[in-house]
Amino acid sequence: MSGLDTLVRLHRWRVDEKQRHLAELQRMRADLEARAAGLSAEMERESELAGREPELRAVFPAYVAGAQHRREVLRKSCTEVDAKIETAREELNAAFREAKKYEIAAENRAKRANAAVARRLRAELDEIGAEGYRRRQGEARSS
C-alpha cells in the first residue's frame, strides 16, 4: 500500500469521525427540543391543576418561575448546540474536501499507472507484430 492510499484512508476516517460528531450534536439538539416540548406540556398540566385546586394556586407562581428559568436554560443550550452544529458542518465540509483531494490524486495515479501498462502492452504487441512481419518477409524472400 502506498503512502497516498494511507492518506486516503486517514482522511476518510476523519470524515467519518466528523459525521459521527455532527450526528451526535443533532441528536443532542433533538433531545433538547423534546425536553422543551415536555416542559411546555407539563406547564399546561400544572396550570390546569392550579385552576382546579386552590392549594396549588399559592405555589403555582413559584413553579412557573422555575419552569420559565428551565425553558430559558433549554433555549440557551439549543442556541449553543446550533452554533456547534454549524461549526461541525463546516469542519465536515472541509474534511470532505481534503479527503476528496487525496482520492482524486489516488485515482489520477491509478489512471497513469494503467496508461503506462497499456503503453507497454501496446509496445510489446507492436514488437510481436513487427517480428512476425519480418519473419514473413524473410520467408518470402528465401522462397
Side-chain angles (χ1 to χ4, degrees):
M1 178 179 284
S2 72
L4 188 57
D5 292 335
T6 302
L7 285 172
V8 168
R9 283 185 333 137
L10 172 67
H11 285 280
R12 283 182 186 162
W13 179 82
R14 285 183 181 166
V15 167
D16 290 343
E17 282 296 309
K18 300 286 183 187
Q19 286 175 330
R20 281 191 282 278
H21 180 66
L22 178 59
E24 181 182 323
L25 288 172
Q26 289 172 333
R27 281 191 299 274
M28 188 183 302
R29 175 71 161 101
D31 180 55
L32 289 171
E33 287 177 357
R35 289 170 54 192
L39 182 60
S40 295
E42 180 183 321
M43 286 180 66
E44 287 178 26
R45 286 191 306 274
E46 293 297 324
S47 175
E48 289 175 14
L49 281 174
R52 289 183 293 195
E53 302 288 332
E55 302 88 32
L56 295 178
R57 283 188 204 133
V59 294
F60 186 68
Y63 168 78
V64 169
Q68 288 175 339
H69 174 63
R70 287 187 302 201
R71 182 185 296 165
E72 187 59 35
V73 168
L74 286 172
R75 278 192 204 133
K76 186 176 178 181
S77 296
C78 283
T79 302
E80 291 171 1
V81 170
D82 286 342
K84 288 179 182 179
I85 286 173
E86 188 60 34
T87 300
R89 281 188 179 136
E90 290 170 6
E91 289 174 359
L92 175 61
N93 287 336
F96 181 76
R97 284 191 304 272
E98 189 70 19
K100 199 65 178 168
K101 286 180 201 175
Y102 288 104
E103 289 173 1
I104 289 170
E107 288 173 8
N108 289 340
R109 179 182 281 178
K111 286 178 186 176
R112 284 191 306 271
N114 289 341
V117 168
R119 277 192 307 274
R120 281 193 301 269
L121 180 60
R122 269 194 314 273
E124 289 175 12
L125 292 175
D126 288 347
E127 183 60 33
I128 291 169
E131 182 65 28
Y133 177 76
R134 283 190 294 266
R135 284 185 184 170
R136 282 191 304 275
Q137 290 299 320
E139 289 174 3
R141 286 186 194 150
S142 47
S143 317

